[in-house]
Amino acid sequence: MVTCPEGHPSAAVDYCDVCGAAIGESPTTVAAPHCPACGAPSGGRFCEACGHDSALPSPSTPEPAPREADPEVADSATARPPAVTWIATVTADRAFYDRVLAREGPDADRVEFPGYYPPRRIALRGSEILIGKRSVSQGLHPDIDLGIAPADAGVSRAHALLHLTPTGLTVTDLGSTNGTSLNDSDDLIPAEQPVALRSGDRVHVGAWTTITLTVEPA
């Protein structure tokens, strides 16, 4: 009789008659679990040596890499309104001229309507755009120069100022002789007080000059 690795007496010498274990081989052993933090044997959730909670991620397990931001999502999060350009279109306005004559405005008796005055388109640049007439002696260089022939005699040297910001546009009369009006109105805007403008608004200066302000894609 022989004894199998599990301790059973067996008449067979190759495999145990009781459990079938191979005679002469050591019983299979299962290694006791070890703590992932300190390496000490640990059979429960909390290590008796260091107190590590085995339910937590192993210290050797790398943390997942942060997810890269989606470029399209990032772009949409920081998206801004599309860039635009304000355009000033200068024209000789016959209807405005007739209104000036009808109310016998200043200089109306000596100002004639030009026979030919092609529209001028001027892109507004910077934050302050001066409307007036160039004067070397006074050091005036208007961004919108209305002294170019045929010049409107009713326009002052420093007539009005356009103020451009990222959110809008205003016009301020600078105390001009003949004043400034808007959108076919005969009422002059108050001097030295900015007035908000919208795309399509018409600014009337002098005796026959109208400046139409419009927004166009940049």
Side-chain angles (χ1 to χ4, degrees), residues 48-204:
E48 296 180 359
C50 67
H52 174 72
D53 185 352
S54 61
L56 298 177
S58 172
S60 60
T61 303
E63 293 294 331
R67 181 180 178 183
E68 294 184 1
D70 189 331
E72 294 184 359
V73 175
D75 289 343
S76 62
T78 58
R80 296 181 178 181
V84 297
T85 298
W86 281 88
I87 302 294
T89 302
V90 182
T91 58
D93 188 342
R94 183 71 197 213
F96 172 47
Y97 176 71
D98 290 341
R99 291 198 304 273
V100 171
L101 293 181
R103 69 172 184 258
E104 297 182 353
D107 300 322
D109 57 342
R110 67 182 183 89
V111 177
E112 295 183 358
F113 190 79
Y116 178 71
Y117 192 93
R120 295 164 52 201
R121 283 170 50 89
I122 302 171
L124 305 188
R125 306 297 183 191
S127 60
E128 294 188 342
I129 299 92
L130 178 63
I131 301 172
K133 293 179 179 178
R134 183 173 180 269
S135 173
V136 176
S137 62
Q138 298 179 25
L140 293 175
H141 302 277
D143 303 279
I144 301 178
D145 187 358
L146 301 180
I148 300 174
D152 186 339
V155 174
S156 299
R157 293 289 183 184
H159 195 106
L161 184 71
L162 297 174
H163 183 65
L164 182 62
T165 70
T167 58
L169 181 68
T170 63
V171 61
T172 303
D173 183 88
L174 300 178
S176 63
T177 301
N178 296 330
T180 302
S181 59
L182 302 178
N183 299 323
D184 301 328
S185 172
D186 287 331
D187 297 328
L188 302 180
I189 64 175
E192 307 296 342
Q193 294 185 24
V195 177
L197 297 174
R198 296 180 298 178
S199 180
D201 279 347
R202 294 154 55 84
V203 177
H204 310 293

